[in-house]
Amino acid sequence: MPFTPAQLLFGAVSLAAFPASLVVVYYMMDKKSWCLADHCIAGAIAPQIRYSLAVFYGFLALTAAAVVASKKVTGLRRILSKGIVPGSTITIGEIGWFIGVLAICCVGLPIMYWRYNWDRRAEKFIPQYSYTRLVYHTIMMASGDCLAVILGFQFILPSKNSFFATFLDLPYTAMVRVHTWVGMTTLLMTLTHFVSFLLSYNLTNEGIVKTLFASADGKAWGKGAYVNLLGFATFLVLVIVAASSLAVVRRKFYNVFHYFHFLTYAVAVMSYLHAQSSAYFIIPGLFMYILDVIIRTCTVFSKDTVTGVTVEDSGYITVTIATTKARNAKPGQFMRVNVPSVSKLEYHPWSIVHCDERSVSFLFAPSVKANEWSTLVAEQLKSYKQGGHSTFGNVSVVLQGPYGKEMDMTRYGKMHNAAVFYVGGTGLSACVSAIDTIIQENDIKVMPTKVVLCWSSRSGGTANLSLLQDWIKTGKVVLELHETSGADLDKAEQTLLQPSSAGAQSAFVRRGRPTLANVLDTHVKPLLASGEMLVRVGVFICGPAGLTRDGLRQADKFAQENKSACIVEVEAESYEL
């Protein structure tokens, strides 16, 4: 993927943050005057911290090397992108990376820190206190040291303008999912740290309230007197962030989830003031996150205007916006869209349908709920269209992005004999650009790729969707349109285009839910009949969780049943995370 000068500059600055952070950390450890925390790290613990830094940066370097290798080695890419079980969108690469983080933060580093913390506490507490208290103290200290490393991983993942996502072409959904897992691990480790602290101090017959709030009374900063209070405050903020990130909150009250996430800045500051070592691992990720927020904030001052709206018979809306921000977008990418006249705070991800040097188009479905953001946007766009406006210049939008990776189907699929797109609802928008790209490449290919689109929608009138009309006329795409609402099930199948000897493909409107197994058997299996060559098939699945799960299982079954005759490469995007 070619990069713009702005992306290269962003990448250089982001990459430089890692060695720069390492240099800063080494100076922080050697110069106590640089420490602003209440608990500064020095003395015998310094070597362990340096080992931890080596492990942290080494693991990130190995991650980058593995990703680069997977782009070059097809077999490795297939292994890492394969679902952990049939029907799962969670890949071996995602779970493998997360297990690596767990192995480092929950096994390797605790073992490394255990002996140091045990010996340190043993000198102080034995024989005055019991071994039980010594165990609690050691768990408390070791878990705190490991938390610093976990927070480092936590802050690297969420940036939308991300060095890793842009230059390593990592899937945005995978990064969000792993970020969620690491976040839950952070909360559990924080809980372990806090509970072991309470148990340890409770055994001394000191009151918990006194330990948390009165230990700093009248004492100077920098002597460890405020450590308990800061730790407790950080724990409470983390609980708030975690609670606002639960799926039920995230899906029903997205803005609550989104804006409460900015409390992570408070977590970073308070964890550093609690213990200096927390900053050692957070710095590069925090720098990238701040840079990301600055870039996204700047887009507010660069508004674009709507230039065209098509209200489709199916209820979907196609909207075109005049902008140059999407000129380098690739198939499969999305942008975050804000309509200030509806809400200055709400941003929603829309997949890019078409883009060129001067415009970008999206397809979205208004919600059935009256006060939802998409419903209000649709009403505003419809009012301008129904009012006879030739332009929509008064409807301004803020665009961020594009984000996400290029679809594997276009990046690695040039040798595919067949490309199957199995999508539901607005999942169609994720594949339109990819299909157009493959069609353009087919014009210069000796052996064109057979393109199949199976789109299911609850709405009727799918055959009249403006985005499909060129494909229906030219016959360059096999179209199966499935209308699944109860009102449409009794209607007869509609033939839009018959296959012809001139190469035109078929196009049908069918009733009821499709199955990927039937699509593959109907349109791909005949390609295997000759047996003269190994057929390469690319499959892209995007839609609700049920459609995605069933599609993945059926694609896996088809690949197993025909493994001697074809290679099936599957890529999936689910609506749910």
Side-chain angles (χ1 to χ4, degrees), residues 1-3 7 169 325-334 351-355 402-407 410-411 429-430 433-434 437:
M1 179 188 297
F3 301 110
Q7 286 177 320
D169 204 27
K325 295 173 184 173
R327 61 184 180 276
N328 294 305
K330 299 295 181 181
Q333 291 190 305
F334 68 94
S351 294
I352 296 171
V353 173
H354 290 303
C355 63
Y403 301 124
K405 63 184 285 293
E406 180 180 358
M407 191 182 293
T410 57
R411 178 161 184 167
S429 61
S433 179
T437 300

Side-chain angles (χ1 to χ4, degrees), residues 185-234:
T185 305
T186 302
L187 183 64
L188 291 174
M189 186 65 78
T190 305
L191 185 62
T192 301
H193 185 58
F194 183 60
V195 170
S196 60
F197 157 76
L198 293 179
L199 290 172
S200 176
Y201 275 80
N202 198 37
L203 292 176
T204 66
N205 296 320
E206 294 178 323
I208 292 174
V209 174
K210 180 181 178 182
T211 301
L212 289 174
F213 299 103
S215 60
D217 188 26
K219 296 181 181 178
W221 180 266
K223 303 298 183 181
Y226 297 86
V227 166
N228 297 339
L229 181 59
L230 285 165
F232 180 63
T234 306

Side-chain angles (χ1 to χ4, degrees), residues 227-294:
V227 166
N228 297 339
L229 181 59
L230 285 165
F232 180 63
T234 306
F235 173 68
L236 289 181
V237 175
L238 273 174
V239 169
I240 293 172
V241 173
S244 67
S245 302
L246 294 174
V248 64
V249 178
R250 191 172 67 244
R251 291 170 189 156
K252 291 186 176 181
F253 308 99
Y254 180 82
N255 281 339
V256 173
F257 152 74
H258 178 71
Y259 289 104
F260 265 77
H261 246 58
F262 285 102
L263 287 175
T264 52
Y265 286 121
V267 170
V269 173
M270 289 191 297
S271 62
Y272 166 68
L273 295 177
H274 170 70
Q276 180 192 16
S277 60
S278 298
Y280 295 166
F281 305 89
I282 286 179
I283 291 176
L286 184 60
F287 175 81
M288 289 175 61
Y289 189 49
I290 291 173
L291 189 61
D292 170 46
V293 171
I294 291 173

Side-chain angles (χ1 to χ4, degrees), residues 492-563:
E493 179 178 295
Q494 179 183 359
T495 301
L496 304 176
L497 183 68
Q498 290 281 9
S500 71
S501 57
Q505 306 292 348
S506 59
F508 299 95
V509 178
R510 291 176 171 156
R511 315 303 171 187
R513 298 184 182 279
T515 65
L516 181 57
N518 183 66
V519 173
L520 293 173
D521 286 341
T522 303
H523 302 293
V524 175
K525 207 162 189 177
L527 300 178
L528 315 181
S530 66
E532 296 177 0
M533 64 177 183
L534 193 65
V535 176
R536 299 180 181 274
V537 182
V539 177
F540 177 77
I541 304 171
C542 183
L547 179 145
T548 304
R549 181 182 61 250
D550 294 342
L552 286 169
R553 288 174 178 168
Q554 292 163 19
D556 184 67
K557 183 179 179 181
F558 181 86
Q560 291 297 320
E561 292 175 348
N562 300 279
K563 59 184 178 182

